């Protein structure tokens, strides 16, 4: 039996990325953005490969992610945000809604939409995930975007 196996490669050359990021908790989201851009650059992204769109908060991410995804201009969309539970009463609701919306957008637009919206229980967790003990979730999201964008091209369907 001859099995054809397809896997993504971590090469960003010739891929275009739309990135949507929230200003809420920007002390952290700027670090997520730094990580994401560093990752794309290190994986060979072209000079003009990335468009960054800023939105007020995580709730506003899905609409812009959708606009980017359906535009036909990007091979993958990366969403970056920081929801810290307990900051406001509705923080708990936001995270689930945004995650669900991003999955639906990806399926509808047929474009990878990578969820790099960090949900932290407290400030310590936020610090850990935005470029310290637990790495940088922006970096991870960008790497997933590179792999998925390449994979979608490779599969060709
Ligand atoms: N937005 C965030 O991105 N992170 C949060 O932690 C957060 N909290 O805690 O409330 C938050 N709220 C704002 C929200 O995303 C909208 O911008 C706002 O409700 C206006 O629609």
């Amino acid at each position: 039996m001859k099995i054809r196996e397809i896997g993504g490669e971590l090469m960003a050359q010739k891929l275009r990325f739309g990135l949507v990021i929230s200003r809420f908790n920007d002390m952290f989201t700027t670090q997520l953005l730094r990580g994401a851009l560093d990752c794309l650059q290190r994986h060979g992204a072209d000079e003009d490969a990335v468009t960054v769109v800023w939105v007020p908060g995580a709730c506003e991410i899905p609409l812009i992610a959708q606009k980017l995804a359906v535009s036909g201009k990007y091979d993958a969309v990366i969403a970056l945000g920081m929801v810290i539970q307990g900051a406001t009463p509705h923080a708990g609701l936001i995270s689930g809604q945004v995650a669900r919306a991003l999955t639906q957008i990806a399926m509808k637009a047929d474009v990878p939409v990578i969820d790099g919206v960090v949900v932290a229980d407290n400030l310590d967790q936020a610090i850990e995930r935005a470029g310290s003990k637990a790495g940088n979730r922006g970096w991870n999201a960008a790497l997933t975007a590179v792999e998925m964008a390449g994979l979608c091209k490779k599969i060709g369907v």
Side-chain angles (χ1 to χ4, degrees), residues 20 60-72 77 101-102 104-106 108-109 111 113:
V20 52
E60 286 71 42
I61 287 176
L63 176 64
I64 302 301
Q66 174 163 284
K67 286 182 182 292
L68 295 174
V70 300
S71 71
V77 174
L102 293 179
Q104 283 168 4
I105 292 163
K108 226 173 157 186
V111 170
V113 177

Side-chain angles (χ1 to χ4, degrees), residues 22 24-25 56-60 81-85 87-88 90-91 94:
S22 55
F24 204 102
N25 293 322
C59 288
E60 286 71 42
M82 176 64 76
V83 179
I84 303 177
Q85 308 278 12
T88 67
H90 68 303
I94 296 173

Side-chain angles (χ1 to χ4, degrees), residues 15-91:
L15 296 174
R16 296 152 307 152
F17 301 92
L19 195 155
V20 52
I21 178 166
S22 55
R23 279 196 310 272
F24 204 102
N25 293 322
D26 73 346
M27 144 180 193
F28 299 109
T29 60
T30 49
Q31 292 308 309
L32 299 177
L33 177 61
R34 185 187 54 76
L37 296 178
D38 182 53
C39 175
L40 295 176
Q41 200 171 30
R42 284 172 189 270
H43 288 84
D46 301 338
E47 195 66 31
D48 58 350
V50 190
T51 299
V52 176
V53 184
W54 287 89
V55 295
C59 288
E60 286 71 42
I61 287 176
L63 176 64
I64 302 301
Q66 174 163 284
K67 286 182 182 292
L68 295 174
V70 300
S71 71
K73 291 184 180 169
Y74 305 104
D75 297 298
V77 174
I78 302 165
L80 299 179
M82 176 64 76
V83 179
I84 303 177
Q85 308 278 12
T88 67
H90 68 303

Side-chain angles (χ1 to χ4, degrees), residues 82 91 103 122:
M82 176 64 76
T103 308
N122 48 50

